[in-house]
Amino acid sequence: MSRLTKDQVNYPPEEVDPLVMLSNIQHQIGHAVEDAAGDVTAKNKLKSGSLFSTFETGNQIMLVSRTSGRALRILRTKADKRKVDGRGAVTRQEWNAVWTVINEGHNQVRLHNHNNFLAIVNGEATVITVPEGSEHNRLETKLQLVLDPESFVALESIQEPEKCVGVEDNGSMKAAENCTSSDNHAMFGIHLIVRLRHICCYFIFA
């Protein structure tokens, strides 16, 4: 992800009505994940390990909802708080929908966008801001990767088992307390934006 200015890190405002969003994307549902994710999901049906390998520390990914066909992103509310929804465009320019991976081992990860960490708190998907350079070990941001038979991935809370990040058909968030890893609303296709080792090789051989 390219370095952003102070103004860009000020996340875009929440402004789209869910009913309008549903009307706009209805024709995409069911096919958008495979198209938008560059066939990543289909390729990884052959080997689940290769899907989990996209969650290496330092990799940057987009999470494309199986139900909305759009990317999980961070927005700013009218109260100047940060929230997540599943209505982001699946493009590199959608910087607020690109998540950097921290792999904690045992298929457990933390995902952040400019120090704003995806979390499940009291049964709701949200983000927790961690000051740059500070130690971070809050359990709310630690998520278990769960692979479904069709090679989509669910993100399940470590602190609140059986509660997952979920997206409704219209791109709004489904309450994590009502969303398990077997729920289609919890399924995401993975769009790999940057693989860290490719960046390292670039600097070594440039």
Side-chain angles (χ1 to χ4, degrees), residues 131-200:
E132 187 172 1
S134 64
E135 184 177 352
H136 176 58
N137 56 6
R138 291 186 60 170
L139 197 57
E140 297 98 323
T141 65
K142 199 172 186 180
L143 303 170
Q144 180 73 49
L145 301 176
V146 182
L147 186 70
D148 91 322
E150 296 184 50
S151 294
F152 289 93
V153 170
L155 302 168
E156 181 178 312
S157 172
I158 296 294
Q159 179 163 282
E160 303 178 42
E162 297 300 318
K163 297 179 182 179
C164 294
V165 177
V167 176
E168 300 281 8
D169 291 0
N170 66 4
S172 62
M173 299 306 295
K174 182 171 183 176
E177 62 184 1
N178 299 322
C179 191
T180 67
S181 60
S182 61
D183 188 337
N184 274 347
H185 296 91
M187 303 300 171
F188 293 92
I190 308 305
H191 187 162
L192 181 62
I193 301 297
V194 173
R195 189 181 292 275
L196 181 63
R197 65 170 175 262
H198 289 176
I199 295 178
C200 295

Side-chain angles (χ1 to χ4, degrees), residues 20-72:
V20 174
M21 185 66 192
L22 177 59
S23 175
N24 289 341
I25 69 172
Q26 185 104 35
H27 67 285
Q28 300 177 21
I29 296 174
H31 300 286
V33 173
E34 287 81 5
D35 294 340
D39 204 30
V40 169
T41 298
K43 290 178 181 177
N44 284 304
K45 288 181 182 178
L46 299 175
K47 185 178 180 182
S48 61
S50 60
L51 180 57
F52 286 135
S53 74
T54 63
F55 286 90
E56 294 175 356
T57 294
N59 285 359
Q60 294 177 351
I61 62 173
M62 300 186 89
L63 300 166
V64 184
S65 168
R66 183 175 189 174
T67 50
S68 76
R70 309 283 281 187
L72 192 72

Side-chain angles (χ1 to χ4, degrees), residues 87-116:
R87 301 177 182 140
V90 186
T91 169
R92 290 172 180 269
Q93 285 68 45
E94 190 88 338
W95 60 268
N96 55 320
V98 176
W99 301 88
T100 300
V101 178
I102 299 175
N103 192 307
E104 301 279 1
H106 307 289
N107 293 326
Q108 296 174 2
V109 300
R110 301 182 199 269
L111 302 174
H112 67 94
N113 178 288
H114 294 284
N115 300 313
N116 295 294

Side-chain angles (χ1 to χ4, degrees), residues 73-75 82-84 99 116-119 125-129:
R73 64 178 179 177
I74 301 178
L75 293 175
R82 294 183 177 113
K83 63 169 289 184
V84 288
W99 301 88
N116 295 294
F117 284 75
L118 185 62
T126 185
V127 288
I128 292 176
T129 302

